Amino acid sequence: MRLVHLDLKGAAPRVSYLEQVFPLLSQLGANGVLIEYEDMFPFKGELELLKSPYAYSEEDVERIQRLAELHKLEVVPLVQTFGHVEFILKHEKYQHLREVERFPNSFNPHVPDTLALVRSILSQVMEKHRRSAWIHIGADEVFHLGEGTDSKNWMSRNRGDAGTIYLKHIKEVLAFIATQFRGLRALMWDDMLRKIGVGALRGGVVRQRLQGHHGAGAGLAPPRLPPEEPPELAEGAAGAATLGPAALPGHRPHRLAEVRGTGPPPSLAPAVPEAVGRLAPFRRYDHYSALCELLPVAIPSLAVCLQTLVNGGFTEETKRKVLEALGFQSMQLEQSTCEGRGAFPGAEIYHMVEQVNGHLKDSVLKALEEESTIKGWFSPYHRKRQFGNPRNMESFGSKVLKLHEDWESFVRDLRAHLEKVYFPDTVEEWMEENVDPYLDPLRDLVRDYR
């Protein structure tokens, strides 16, 4: 399985854009998509308050699946069942389900309502994914597990630890899946399992039909486990506040390690029916974080990783296939650059973000900070009091006005391209985070000048 993780808790693309992207993913070697809907799923009934105002409709979810099938991409829905549930626990209605009252990160597994809610969410998601053979239950980064009052009391009474609590909840989730959805197979991230001894795992969660991985980790599944714990496997992810274009992976050992590490380590090979490779251009690290790179900006990096995964290394032939698929003339991994206009969905956004990242801040700072006429004759003091000599102001005015108009024209074009791919909330957030902090000072100067 070579899955591209569509992380929809930030910058969820319109279905019309996925219609353009899915053929490319298939061409590059993906055979599945791992879809983490979070608040983009069309929840109904008592769960409706979890929906984003821009959530996909039921028709959209069906259309996504038909598009995936058309391009031979297996759909694996991802439902967080323990940690990363900020989009749920931020609501007052569900605050009593928090492991630690102050933090909305993780469920309290000791409250019966928690499992009832997880079952309800799983049921609604799987009802709309009846053709899926796999479900991913998340279960990574369960922050503060064991720190809540209920967990402390439970550990004291049962002489257990946080690992025991974790396995108990996961087993209950898997038991529900096994009884409610016959034949459905489960995936989960393995980072929490790594912290639990093999002895506990032998008698615990791995007796279920379960695959476990995190980033590029290997699976854990019956019938037997290796004598020692699995080694640490490299994980790759860009920084939480990454502004693209996304770095190509050639100079990032952890990125390529993620790709090369997708097969099971030798010690695990007999226990793992399938190796699962997962590549993820992150949208957000959690529901509250800033946006990471946009999908169009991440496509060249994703293409390199997919083709490396398919071919077992980034050979010259691999490079040729990537360039052909993306419409670039050349690619320098060490410099993280691509030459040419590109012919992939969102290539315009890729290049325009490159302009924002490489030139907007510097050009505005140069105009405002290094122009001696502005510093001498149009300082904040002059601007506040609307006091200045037109002769001196005109010496810098035309240059500043042109710079302002050029960037405003550019931003209008960028916004138009973003609106074709993203919903209004994403466009506004991205502009406010990445354009306005640099363009607003220039806008203010032009306002005062006029």
Side-chain angles (χ1 to χ4, degrees):
M1 298 175 74
R2 295 183 294 274
L3 303 175
V4 173
H5 181 182
L6 296 177
D7 174 16
L8 302 180
K9 59 178 166 283
R14 296 179 185 272
V15 180
S16 56
Y17 183 66
L18 295 178
E19 193 170 8
Q20 302 172 58
V21 169
F22 279 10
L24 178 63
L25 298 183
S26 184
Q27 179 188 351
L28 289 168
N31 57 18
V33 284
L34 177 67
I35 306 181
E36 184 171 2
Y37 288 101
E38 200 163 287
D39 60 356
M40 288 300 292
F41 188 79
F43 290 109
K44 298 185 296 185
E46 66 174 21
L47 300 181
E48 192 169 353
L49 87 165
L50 300 180
K51 286 196 319 185
S52 159
Y54 299 100
Y56 294 138
S57 66
E58 293 182 17
E59 292 73 22
D60 289 334
V61 171
E62 177 59 27
R63 186 178 164 202
I64 290 170
Q65 292 176 87
R66 286 201 307 269
L67 287 170
E69 289 168 4
L70 181 64
H71 299 290
K72 297 181 171 54
L73 297 169
E74 185 166 3
V75 174
V76 180
L78 191 160
V79 176
Q80 288 287 1
T81 57
F82 211 161
H84 282 297
V85 284
E86 295 90 350
F87 82 103
I88 299 169
L89 298 184
K90 71 178 184 181
H91 294 285
E92 186 177 355
K93 178 178 179 179
Y94 297 117
Q95 284 182 9
H96 69 291
L97 302 183
R98 296 177 177 185
E99 167 70 0
V100 175
E101 187 179 354
R102 296 199 312 281
F103 306 133
N105 304 77
S106 308
F107 279 130
N108 177 347
H110 309 285
V111 180
D113 287 353
T114 291
L115 192 57
L117 178 60
V118 169
R119 288 171 173 172
S120 181
I121 292 172
L122 284 168
S123 296
Q124 288 204 17
V125 171
M126 290 315 302
E127 180 189 343
K128 300 301 176 189
H129 292 84
R130 293 180 182 273
R131 303 189 292 281
S132 291
W134 295 84
I135 177 74
H136 197 303
I137 62 168
D140 59 315
E141 297 180 339
V142 187
F143 298 134
H144 310 293
L145 181 62
E147 296 176 18
T149 302
D150 289 345
S151 286
K152 289 177 179 177
N153 291 338
W154 188 92
M155 289 187 290
S156 176
R157 289 195 308 271
N158 296 276
R159 297 182 180 179
D161 57 15
T164 315
I165 295 173
Y166 180 83
L167 291 178
K168 180 175 180 293
H169 179 73
I170 294 302
K171 286 171 68 176
E172 289 173 337
V173 171
L174 291 172
F176 172 73
I177 291 171
T179 56
Q180 194 71 17
F181 310 105
R182 294 282 178 186
L184 187 65
R185 304 182 70 185
L187 285 155
M188 67 182 290
W189 305 132
D190 79 348
D191 59 309
M192 297 295 292
L193 293 174
R194 293 179 193 182
K195 304 170 186 176
I196 301 172
V198 169
L201 290 174
R202 284 183 190 281
V205 68
V206 294
R207 296 300 174 191
Q208 309 283 344
R209 294 298 300 169
L210 174 71
Q211 302 288 321
H213 66 290
H214 191 267
L220 293 176
R224 60 195 178 89
L225 279 169
E228 68 280 337
E229 294 189 63
E232 281 293 317
L233 293 172
E235 299 174 36
T242 298
L243 173 64
L248 294 171
H251 68 299
R252 297 234 184 131
H254 66 282
R255 284 276 182 102
L256 287 182
E258 177 181 4
V259 178
R260 293 176 184 140
T262 50
S267 63
L268 276 182
V272 185
E274 296 91 3
V276 179
R278 164 262 193 175
L279 300 169
F282 282 93
R283 304 282 74 79
R284 287 192 207 279
Y285 272 71
D286 68 39
H287 190 74
Y288 287 88
S289 74
L291 289 172
C292 300
E293 65 265 55
L294 299 173
L295 181 53
V297 176
I299 281 179
S301 180
L302 180 60
V304 170
C305 289
L306 272 171
Q307 274 295 295
T308 301
L309 178 59
V310 170
N311 296 297
F314 193 66
T315 63
E316 282 302 312
E317 177 62 13
T318 306
K319 185 176 181 179
R320 186 190 65 76
K321 288 180 179 177
V322 170
L323 291 174
E324 183 181 315
L326 300 182
F328 285 128
Q329 276 72 58
S330 65
M331 178 179 285
Q332 301 298 325
L333 294 190
E334 292 77 12
Q335 284 76 44
S336 199
T337 58
C338 301
E339 299 296 329
R341 289 308 304 165
F344 60 91
E348 304 90 350
I349 293 174
Y350 175 90
H351 288 294
M352 295 180 92
V353 169
E354 192 173 38
Q355 289 293 311
V356 170
N357 193 32
H359 303 293
L360 174 58
K361 180 180 180 180
D362 289 343
S363 69
V364 172
L365 282 177
K366 186 174 181 180
L368 300 188
E369 301 294 330
E370 297 179 16
E371 178 61 60
S372 61
T373 321
I374 293 178
K375 296 182 81 169
W377 280 272
F378 202 53
S379 70
Y381 179 89
H382 294 101
R383 290 166 61 183
K384 183 177 179 182
R385 289 159 180 79
Q386 299 183 16
F387 173 80
N389 188 328
R391 176 180 178 277
N392 301 110
M393 291 170 62
E394 286 171 6
S395 67
F396 66 80
S398 58
K399 186 194 300 185
V400 168
L401 290 174
K402 184 177 188 314
L403 179 67
H404 172 253
E405 181 47 43
D406 286 349
W407 275 117
E408 290 291 12
S409 175
F410 174 89
V411 167
R412 284 193 295 271
D413 289 344
L414 173 58
R415 181 181 287 274
H417 283 294
L418 288 173
E419 286 173 348
K420 292 177 184 176
V421 174
Y422 294 109
F423 298 100
D425 58 338
T426 296
V427 177
E428 291 307 318
E429 180 177 356
W430 197 89
M431 287 293 190
E432 285 188 29
E433 291 273 8
N434 300 294
V435 173
D436 292 349
Y438 309 113
L439 197 49
D440 279 350
L442 181 61
R443 289 166 172 158
D444 291 344
L445 183 92
V446 167
R447 180 200 63 216
D448 292 348
Y449 174 84
R450 285 178 171 149

